[in-house]
């Protein structure tokens, strides 16, 4: 997911900014008591003061497209979550 988003110019990570070199999940999400699969499936995106509404719309569209692409590739995806194409 991160590699596909990066190809589209979107910087994302799976943990906190201070642990960017680690593959460990967010300690904040763990402390919130979220389930293991949710914590390990999290995605961190950061907004800045120069982020525009168009930037946010672009990221939303690309994340949706990327999630669907990965679902379509996975043999574990139930049929109801696959594209209708």
């Amino acid at each position: 997911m991160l590699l596909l988003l990066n190809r589209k110019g979107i910087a994302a990570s799976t943990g906190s900014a201070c642990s960017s070199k680690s593959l460990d999940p967010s300690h904040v999400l763990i402390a919130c008591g979220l389930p293991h699969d949710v914590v390990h499936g999290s995605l961190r995106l950061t907004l800045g003061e120069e982020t525009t509404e168009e930037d946010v719309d672009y990221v939303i569209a690309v994340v949706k497209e990327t999630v669907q692409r990965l679902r379509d590739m996975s043999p574990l995806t139930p049929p109801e979550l696959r594209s209708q194409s």
Side-chain angles (χ1 to χ4, degrees):
M1 175 100 172
L2 295 179
L3 294 174
L4 293 172
L5 293 177
N6 188 39
R7 282 186 181 173
K8 298 281 190 165
I10 299 170
S13 71
T14 57
S16 64
C18 59
S19 64
S20 61
K21 291 185 170 67
S22 170
L23 293 177
D24 293 336
S26 167
H27 64 278
V28 174
L29 297 179
I30 292 170
C32 288
L34 292 172
H36 177 82
D37 59 330
V38 171
V39 172
H40 282 278
S42 67
L43 182 67
R44 183 180 63 87
L45 301 164
T46 303
L47 301 173
E49 58 185 54
E50 294 183 21
T51 304
T52 66
E53 190 172 333
E54 290 79 20
D55 293 334
V56 173
D57 291 342
Y58 174 73
V59 170
I60 290 170
V62 171
V63 168
K64 284 181 176 182
E65 170 189 303
T66 303
V67 167
Q68 191 59 58
R69 177 178 174 192
L70 293 171
R71 281 180 176 164
D72 290 346
M73 292 171 50
S74 173
L76 302 176
T77 302
E80 63 271 13
L81 294 179
R82 294 186 182 277
S83 293
Q84 299 293 325
S85 48

